[in-house]
Amino acid sequence: MPCLCDFHIHSTLSGDGRSDLLDQVRASREKGVKWLCFTEHIDYATSEGDYLVDFPLYQQKIAEARAAFPDMTIGIGLELGDTREERADVITQSDRIPLDFKLLSRHKVGGIDPYEAERFFAHRTRAQAVEDYLDAIWESLNAFPDYDALSHLGYVFKFVQSPEFPPLRYDDAPDRLDAILRFLIENGKALEVNTSRWRRFGDGMPGKDILARYRGLGGELLTLGSDAHDTVSAAQGFDAAIEQIRSLGFRHLTAFAGRQRRMLPL
Ligand SMILES: [Zn+2]
Ligand SMILES: [Zn+2]
């Protein structure tokens, strides 16, 4: 059994989290997760307002969880929703407490989150959406000063239901995706395998073809993330994801403690 770790999970400390932090730990532990790192949202101007974190409460909850589950490793991190306009504020928030892990996240593209799918796709073809999204990721990767991993590459199609908008594929934009993957490799940043849509896509974000290309280019640093916002979603898709990652030739998952990288054998 590999050391199952989840480096993308939310609790009610996040604006859209639905389960208490200790309940999330308990649910993940029941699924075999041994190392859990919370990544509560910092995300300005979402459709539900600003998502900010009550840091003293966050630290208190993490301390309680560590005391209650001494057989687990429990980290404290943030999912940093970056945009050019909000970057300075996001950085300020990300520096307020010592963290184990900083997860760079790009939700909004041109001021709109693809979560608002009707609005986002009203004036975009699929091809235009791919270009706009990957250009936004490229901008964030280069401009955000301090992070450990890139979250959910392919998020742009997470919320669309139409068969005309299948998940992001390598062939959609080989040049842009190569640039992104090479940037991560050359700069020692990890790539997340996000399993939050595994049930629907039968694949992670990014999908298998993009992960295969990352491996082919020499990529080795993968974090695994359920992106669970409630206990029902704890460790969702992990068994299938681990199988896929192994089949592509990866030998480790990447974990972070105190911002230091640890390689966990698969
Ligand atoms: Zn996200
Ligand atoms: Zn998330």
Side-chain angles (χ1 to χ4, degrees):
M1 250 318 253
C3 176
L4 267 193
C5 52
D6 188 345
F7 270 68
H8 190 158
I9 186 165
H10 302 272
S11 76
T12 47
L13 271 291
S14 282
D16 57 353
R18 293 180 294 277
S19 294
D20 181 77
L21 190 144
L22 271 88
D23 292 336
Q24 287 290 56
V25 177
R26 193 174 296 110
S28 301
R29 185 173 178 274
E30 281 169 10
K31 297 276 175 63
V33 174
K34 302 265 190 323
W35 191 333
L36 195 56
C37 185
F38 282 86
T39 48
E40 308 292 2
H41 283 296
I42 298 295
D43 226 316
Y44 284 92
T46 76
S47 54
E48 284 141 31
D50 294 341
Y51 287 164
L52 296 172
V53 174
D54 179 339
F55 284 109
L57 182 60
Y58 193 14
Q59 290 174 308
Q60 181 197 322
K61 285 279 193 183
I62 290 285
E64 285 172 20
R66 285 173 177 159
F69 300 97
D71 57 337
M72 293 182 72
T73 305
I74 300 169
I76 184 166
L78 290 173
E79 178 178 5
L80 303 166
D82 181 51
T83 65
R84 192 198 303 261
E85 297 73 25
E86 292 144 358
R87 185 163 297 138
D89 291 329
V90 174
I91 292 168
T92 300
Q93 293 297 323
S94 76
D95 288 336
R96 285 185 53 194
I97 58 168
L99 296 169
D100 289 303
F101 179 57
K102 291 186 181 181
L103 180 60
L104 179 65
S105 194
R106 183 76 194 218
H107 294 129
K108 277 180 284 191
V109 177
I112 307 175
D113 191 321
Y115 174 71
E116 297 181 69
E118 263 183 46
R119 207 174 141 217
F120 187 83
F121 291 103
H123 305 292
R124 280 187 177 93
T125 61
R126 185 176 187 283
Q128 195 59 53
V130 168
E131 280 190 15
D132 293 350
Y133 171 68
L134 293 178
D135 288 349
I137 296 253
W138 178 250
E139 200 270 326
S140 282
L141 284 181
N142 281 275
F144 201 84
D146 185 24
Y147 56 95
D148 301 306
L150 172 67
S151 74
H152 48 51
L153 180 59
Y155 174 84
V156 64
F157 297 131
K158 177 171 176 176
F159 300 102
V160 284
Q161 304 283 349
S162 161
E164 288 158 44
F165 288 83
L168 181 68
R169 292 291 165 228
Y170 179 70
D171 289 342
D172 287 327
D175 293 346
R176 280 179 167 83
L177 283 164
D178 276 359
I180 288 168
L181 298 175
R182 286 202 166 98
F183 181 95
L184 295 172
I185 293 164
E186 284 161 15
N187 291 280
K189 309 295 187 191
L191 176 65
E192 174 188 80
V193 177
N194 183 295
T195 60
S196 63
R197 279 295 181 269
W198 201 286
R199 210 168 303 145
R200 210 172 78 214
F201 294 166
D203 208 346
M205 289 182 287
K208 185 177 184 181
D209 56 342
I210 297 171
L211 276 191
R213 178 63 177 166
Y214 172 67
R215 182 77 190 127
L217 290 171
E220 292 180 333
L221 307 179
L222 290 182
T223 61
L224 183 63
S226 69
D227 210 348
H229 287 65
D230 52 40
T231 53
V232 176
S233 311
Q236 54 191 335
F238 273 18
D239 290 348
I242 296 270
E243 199 181 307
Q244 180 189 87
I245 292 165
R246 276 190 180 136
S247 78
L248 292 171
F250 292 95
R251 295 283 166 263
H252 299 88
L253 286 176
T254 306
F256 291 84
R259 309 287 317 283
Q260 298 299 307
R261 203 159 66 208
R262 308 276 178 83
M263 301 302 279
L264 308 178
L266 273 169

